[in-house]
Amino acid sequence: MSKILFFICALLLIAGLPTDMALAQNASSGFDVEQASRAYIDTLQGAQLEKSNAYFEGGYWLILWGALIGVLVDLLILQSRLSARFRDWAERVTSRTWLQPALYGLPYIIAGFLITLPWTIYTGFFREQQYGLMSQSFGGWFGEQLIGLLISLITFPLLIMAIFAVIRRAPKLWWIWGTGVISVFLFIGLLLGPVFISPLFNNYTEMADGPLRDRIVAMAAEYDIPAENIYVFDQSKQHKRISANVSGFGPTIRVSLNDNLLERTDPEEVAAVMGHEMGHYVLGHTWRTVLILALIVAVGLFIVARLAPRLIARHGEKWGVRSMADPAAIPLLSLILTVYFFAATPAINSLIRINESEADRFGLATAQEPDGFAKVAMRLSEYRKIEPGPLEEMLFFDHPSGATRVRMAIQWKADHVKNPVMVKPGKLEKE
C-alpha cells in the first residue's frame, strides 16, 4: 500500500510542475525565468551552502537511526520483561481491566523517555547548536522536553486505553475501530492544540496595529478566514527559523506568525508566507491530511493485527505477553508501527509536499509577491538543502526544495506580472 501511495504522489507532483512550453513562452517575452531564478539560488554559496547541505543530508541518516533506536528500545523493554512488569504493576494498582492500559502507559512512556534521552539530547540540542540553529540554553531546551513528557503522560494513556477497549470488544476488526479512535484524537488535538498546547511553549500576543496587520486581515477576509485575532509568538527564544500558521478548528481558529518572521523579513515576504499559510486553510489541507493519515494508519494497524498475534504466539511466553489484549504487548505494537512508518516515509513526505506546493501556488496568487516568496525560500534554505536531485527531493523532502520554490515564484512572476524585471538579490538579512 505504501508503494502505491508513493507512486500516486510522484505522479501528482510531476503533474504540478511547470511545462517546457510555459518556460518557452515566457522566454520569448525577454524575461528569462531560469536566469532570474538562478540569481536567487546562487546567493547561497561557499561555507553557507556546505553547512545547509550537511545539516539536511545528515537528517537522512537521522530518519534511519531514529527508527532503529525506536525498534531497539521496544525490543529491550520486551526482552527484559520490563513490559510484563509494567503490566503487573498496573494490575496490582487496579482490578479494572479498562483502566490497566492507561496505568501501563505511565512507566512505559517514562522508560522510553529515559532510555532515548542521550539520543534526544544529541539530535534535539547539540546538533542544532552545532549548526547555529539553537537559541536556547540547555536548561531551557530540557524544560520544554519535560513539558512534552508531561503532555505524553496525559494523552498516551488515554489513547491506548481507548485502543485496548476496542481490541477487547472487536478482536478481529479492532484495527478499523482503532483507526477511528486515532482520528478522533487527531481531531481533538487540532481543536485544542492552539489554545492549550502551543501556549505552554510560547507566549502569544496580539499583533500590533499597522499596515502589515491590515494587509493580513484583508487577505484573510477575502477568503472568509476568521482573523479577529492575529497572534505573534516568541519563537526567537528557541531558534531563528521563520514560521506562521492558520491553526485550530471552529472557535479555536487563529492566525499566528512568529517574531522571527516579523524581525528577519520585509513586509512582502511576510505577505507571501501568510498567503501560503492561508492556502492550507482555504484548500482544506488539514482535513485532507487527517483523512490520508487515517488511511495510512489503517494500513499500519492492519499489519499489526496480522503480525502481532503470530509473534506473541511464538515469543509471548519469553516476553511475558499473554495476548493482543494484554497491555504488555504495547512495545510490540509500537515496534511494528515504527518499521511500517519508516518504510512509508517517502509516501508521507510526498503527500505533505503536494499540499505545500498547492499552498505555495495559492500564496503566490493571493499575496502577489513572487520576489518576496523567492526571498523566503532562500531564507528557509539556511537549513534545507537548496538544490537536491529529483529523486532525493521526492524521497526526503516534505516541502518543495528552495530551488523548486524559487523557480515556481519566478515562473508565476513571468506568467502574471506585466513586463517583469529580473531582481538581483543582495544580502537577505535585514540590517
Side-chain angles (χ1 to χ4, degrees), residues 105-315:
L106 299 176
Y108 174 73
I109 285 291
I110 293 172
F113 176 84
L114 293 176
I115 296 171
T116 60
L117 187 57
W119 172 253
T120 304
I121 290 173
Y122 166 69
T123 57
F125 182 78
F126 286 114
R127 186 172 186 269
E128 296 294 298
Q129 192 178 61
Q130 174 188 351
Y131 284 95
L133 298 173
M134 174 63 63
S135 300
Q136 288 178 300
S137 66
F138 179 80
W141 174 84
F142 190 68
E144 290 189 354
Q145 301 305 302
L146 293 178
I147 293 174
L149 173 63
L150 178 60
I151 294 170
S152 296
L153 288 172
I154 295 171
T155 57
F156 183 75
L158 293 174
L159 175 62
I160 61 173
M161 181 173 66
I163 289 178
F164 271 79
V166 168
I167 291 175
R168 290 192 303 273
R169 292 171 184 170
K172 292 184 178 180
L173 297 177
W174 69 266
W175 59 276
I176 297 177
W177 297 105
T179 300
V181 167
I182 293 175
S183 299
V184 169
F185 271 77
L186 284 174
F187 174 79
I188 294 173
L190 289 172
L191 179 66
L192 301 182
V195 178
F196 296 104
I197 304 301
S198 296
L200 296 176
F201 299 94
N202 295 98
N203 292 321
Y204 285 73
T205 57
E206 280 282 349
M207 184 178 181
D209 291 334
L212 184 56
R213 187 185 192 281
D214 292 342
R215 185 174 182 185
I216 295 172
V217 171
M219 290 167 61
E222 184 178 357
Y223 296 98
D224 297 323
I225 301 173
E228 291 80 8
N229 302 106
I230 298 179
Y231 295 96
V232 178
F233 55 104
D234 58 341
Q235 204 160 48
S236 60
K237 72 177 185 179
Q238 290 138 342
H239 53 72
K240 65 177 185 177
R241 294 176 171 90
I242 58 177
S243 177
N245 60 75
V246 178
S247 58
F249 174 76
T252 66
I253 290 175
R254 57 177 59 188
V255 178
S256 306
L257 57 158
N258 72 4
D259 53 352
N260 292 325
L261 181 60
L262 289 178
E263 294 169 6
R264 295 189 60 207
T265 67
D266 296 317
E268 63 267 22
E269 296 174 70
V270 176
V273 171
M274 298 311 299
H276 167 94
E277 296 302 333
M278 291 178 189
H280 285 306
Y281 176 87
V282 174
L283 298 173
H285 286 167
T286 298
W287 297 111
R288 182 198 300 179
T289 300
V290 169
L291 175 61
I292 294 175
L293 286 179
L295 294 174
I296 292 173
V297 167
V299 175
L301 294 184
F302 174 79
I303 292 172
V304 169
R306 293 298 177 269
L307 289 182
R310 299 176 185 179
L311 292 171
I312 291 171
R314 181 176 298 181
H315 304 287

Side-chain angles (χ1 to χ4, degrees), residues 74 83 101 104-105 108 156 160 164 326-335:
D74 281 321
S83 188
Y104 171 97
Y108 174 73
F156 183 75
I160 61 173
F164 271 79
D326 183 356
I330 288 174
L332 178 61
L333 277 60
S334 173
L335 185 158

Side-chain angles (χ1 to χ4, degrees), residues 387-424:
E387 204 164 12
L391 181 61
E392 183 181 9
E393 185 166 357
M394 186 180 294
L395 291 174
F396 296 110
F397 280 64
D398 60 2
H399 286 63
S401 68
T404 297
R405 282 179 145 171
V406 168
R407 290 189 174 98
M408 178 189 291
I410 301 306
Q411 183 65 55
W412 187 93
K413 180 179 180 179
D415 292 339
H416 297 88
V417 176
K418 186 177 180 179
N419 299 321
V421 177
M422 188 179 81
V423 172
K424 295 183 179 180

Side-chain angles (χ1 to χ4, degrees), residues 345-360:
T345 296
I348 296 171
N349 284 347
S350 292
L351 291 167
I352 297 171
R353 192 175 60 252
I354 290 167
N355 283 352
E356 295 296 331
S357 186
E358 289 181 355
D360 286 348

Side-chain angles (χ1 to χ4, degrees), residues 366-379:
T366 300
Q368 299 189 21
E369 295 285 0
D371 288 291
F373 189 88
K375 289 180 182 179
V376 168
M378 294 308 301
R379 293 188 197 280

